[in-house]
Amino acid sequence: MKKLLLFGGLVLSLNTFSQGYTVNYESPTSVVNAIFYAAKTGEFEVLGTLCDPVGKGDGDVKNLCKLGYGLNEVQKKELAEQGKTEEEMREEVKKVFGNGEIIGSTRFETNEYGNFASVDFYFYPNGLEKRKETMNLIQRGNNWYLSSF
């Protein structure tokens, strides 16, 4: 029984965050909005729950997720070699995604590789000028996860 309660608490902690934001993994837009939420609030833990549990995804998506997990020593060293710190990386995510917004409707596609969704959004790559981008998601079971952008 204790194991069941512990597991239930872990699931709740992965889905609900201190400011009351709950990711609805059955909604691609909710998953994308979680990025904006993390950037606005600094609650980066949510980012670690948005990536494909199978481990698929492009480098940009994986970098977002790393901020949710916290960087290990090797990743911190790699970042330092690029002249950045983990805190600087977090600040950049805040600047780029903090005022992000979804635009248009979600598009869905099914093919022999699975179910996919595309969500268009605005973000601010240099902090000032907005740019349109598309987040691609993949469905695993009933849940949607980030795949690429």
Side-chain angles (χ1 to χ4, degrees):
M1 184 64 169
K2 287 182 183 178
K3 289 181 183 178
L4 180 61
L5 290 174
L6 178 61
F7 177 73
L10 178 61
V11 169
L12 285 175
S13 71
L14 291 176
N15 293 318
T16 304
F17 297 87
S18 66
Q19 297 297 320
Y21 187 83
T22 301
V23 181
N24 176 2
Y25 293 94
E26 294 181 1
S27 165
T29 57
S30 180
V31 174
V32 174
N33 274 324
I35 299 168
F36 306 145
Y37 170 81
K40 286 177 187 167
T41 65
E43 293 184 35
F44 290 100
E45 298 82 12
V46 68
L47 297 176
T49 71
L50 305 179
C51 283
D52 185 354
V54 177
K56 303 285 184 188
D58 73 2
D60 291 332
V61 163
K62 288 181 179 182
N63 284 337
L64 282 175
C65 293
K66 286 177 189 174
L67 286 178
Y69 305 137
L71 300 180
N72 63 37
E73 292 306 314
V74 172
Q75 293 164 334
K76 286 179 184 178
K77 184 178 177 184
E78 290 171 354
L79 210 57
E81 289 171 358
Q82 299 171 22
K84 294 182 182 178
T85 66
E86 184 174 4
E87 186 55 37
E88 288 171 331
M89 196 171 162
R90 290 175 188 265
E91 289 303 315
E92 180 148 342
V93 167
K94 287 180 182 180
K95 179 177 76 172
V96 170
F97 292 104
N99 291 315
E101 59 184 292
I102 291 175
I103 52 174
S105 299
T106 302
R107 297 175 309 283
F108 295 91
E109 177 186 344
T110 299
N111 62 36
E112 66 270 17
Y113 301 107
N115 298 323
F116 302 90
S118 297
V119 177
D120 293 329
F121 65 97
Y122 286 128
F123 76 129
Y124 298 79
N126 63 11
L128 301 172
E129 186 179 324
K130 72 180 174 183
R131 188 173 103 195
K132 182 180 172 186
E133 181 63 83
T134 300
M135 182 64 71
N136 299 298
L137 299 95
I138 188 165
Q139 189 175 38
R140 303 286 185 200
N142 291 328
N143 295 337
W144 291 96
Y145 298 97
L146 303 178
S147 178
S148 66
F149 71 99

